[in-house]
Amino acid sequence: MKNFKISNGIDIPAIGFGTWLLEGEKVTEPLKIALEKGYTHIDTAAIYKNEKEIGVVLQSQNIDRKELFITSKCWNSERGYEKALAAFEQTLTDLQTDYLDLYLIHWPANETQFPDNWAALNASTWRAFEEIYTSGKAKAIGVSNFNINHLEALFETAKIKPMVNQIEIHPGHSQPELVDFCKQNDLLVQAWSPLGSGRILENELIVSLANKYNVSVGQICINYCLAKEILPLPRSSSEKNIEANLTSDNFKLSAEDIKAIDEMPADGFSGLNPSLIEF
């Protein structure tokens, strides 16, 4: 599989296996299938409530840890220096690993929920991340769902810049301004929910392109991310789709078709604006 390269030189497999909504034992069989099909990049988070189960599966498969790229995230309730350090250690314990390949702040403390100290709270959390990184227990560190203003504020205090921003990206919600800002600042963009909502899979343009290239609608969405140098993290419980998603780089969308997707009207957005969330 093609790799992307993070700003610190680390290679990361270009298609990851997302595990959001695969809570507890619901993750076990899909993850086993994903590993059998050749996925080596696994994305999870403490709030997904499946880290323990993922750890058990990875141990049972007897895969060399160096062959895996494992990402997890620090949940909102664990913001701040001390809490973030403790949350990270709990994640290592649950995943039964000595290190993570990538650790992310899951959501920014924002101006809506913390009008007086959101930037300071993010800076405090990030200080813990810098310590984790310099210790070698995380090979790379980054953020998730950070808008431009959240990133700009973090840059003012960070000694080590974030290397990744994982955000909602899919046809109908391509966030070009934020993506461009991240690329200009050497942040690799990852796409959660790269297939959008169910509506995207029924979108007339996406369906027509799937027919044109003789691939699935999901493969069109994933290939679109790859064409824009964005790393997609598709999730599926279906063996057929798990395998198909991993082979989404076996064709090339034309520049004209990429432009058509870029110009799609807004569709499939989760409604989760990082500047407005209150959880």
Side-chain angles (χ1 to χ4, degrees):
M1 185 196 297
K2 174 186 175 183
N3 288 332
F4 286 117
K5 194 172 288 289
I6 301 175
S7 60
N8 66 348
I10 297 291
D11 286 328
I12 177 171
I15 300 174
F17 183 69
T19 64
W20 179 50
L21 296 182
L22 298 177
E23 185 174 324
E25 294 185 356
K26 291 180 181 178
V27 79
T28 301
E29 288 307 314
L31 179 56
K32 287 180 179 178
I33 293 169
L35 294 169
E36 289 168 3
K37 298 299 181 183
Y39 285 84
T40 57
H41 177 183
I42 312 301
D43 182 89
T44 185
I47 196 63
Y48 297 173
K49 302 186 186 306
N50 59 20
E51 289 180 320
K52 289 182 179 180
E53 290 76 11
I54 289 173
V56 170
V57 171
L58 295 180
Q59 289 296 318
S60 70
Q61 298 300 297
N62 197 30
I63 300 171
D64 186 346
R65 176 65 181 86
K66 294 179 182 177
E67 299 300 315
L68 296 170
F69 193 102
I70 303 175
T71 300
S72 193
K73 310 176 194 77
C74 179
W75 184 240
N76 303 351
S77 60
E78 310 309 308
R79 294 185 180 113
Y81 176 75
E82 296 290 350
K83 283 187 174 182
L85 288 177
F88 176 77
E89 292 297 333
Q90 186 62 55
T91 281
L92 291 185
T93 298
D94 290 344
L95 287 169
Q96 300 186 50
T97 184
D98 295 329
Y99 70 95
L100 289 183
D101 297 278
L102 177 62
Y103 196 46
L104 306 176
I105 298 177
H106 205 149
W107 290 86
N110 66 27
E111 54 275 41
T112 298
Q113 192 174 11
F114 304 96
D116 298 324
N117 67 333
W118 63 270
L121 187 49
N122 288 330
S124 176
T125 306
W126 189 249
R127 187 161 59 89
F129 273 60
E130 292 174 327
E131 184 172 314
I132 290 165
Y133 178 68
T134 55
S135 75
K137 289 186 175 182
K139 303 302 181 184
I141 51 175
V143 297
S144 182
N145 301 301
F146 272 50
N147 285 336
I148 290 175
N149 66 309
H150 306 131
L151 290 169
E152 287 177 330
L154 194 60
F155 292 165
E156 292 181 8
T157 58
K159 295 178 180 178
I160 302 169
K161 285 180 67 174
M163 301 158 192
V164 169
N165 190 13
Q166 185 180 125
I167 57 179
E168 181 179 0
I169 294 279
H170 51 75
H173 189 69
S174 56
Q175 302 207 68
E177 185 179 359
L178 177 54
V179 170
D180 287 346
F181 181 87
C182 289
K183 290 182 176 181
Q184 290 165 10
N185 286 278
D186 295 324
L187 277 79
L188 173 68
V189 177
Q190 295 183 337
W192 63 262
S193 194
L195 278 60
S197 69
R199 292 198 307 277
I200 293 298
L201 301 183
E202 299 171 357
N203 180 274
E204 184 177 342
L205 171 63
I206 302 302
V207 170
S208 69
L209 291 176
N211 292 332
K212 174 181 176 180
Y213 289 93
N214 194 30
V215 296
S216 71
V217 288
Q219 286 174 305
I220 292 293
C221 296
I222 294 168
N223 191 280
Y224 170 69
C225 287
L226 295 172
K228 299 180 79 67
E229 295 294 309
I230 294 170
L231 193 157
L233 300 164
R235 180 199 77 244
S236 180
S237 297
S238 156
E239 181 172 354
K240 178 182 177 181
N241 290 338
I242 288 171
E243 184 171 17
N245 290 344
L246 192 60
T247 60
S248 296
D249 59 348
N250 289 352
F251 66 100
K252 185 174 182 178
L253 286 167
S254 70
E256 180 182 29
D257 290 333
I258 293 171
K259 185 172 184 290
I261 297 174
D262 284 341
E263 295 174 352
M264 278 177 55
D267 196 6
F269 174 45
S270 68
L272 297 174
N273 183 332
S275 291
L276 299 177
I277 62 156
E278 296 185 345
F279 52 80

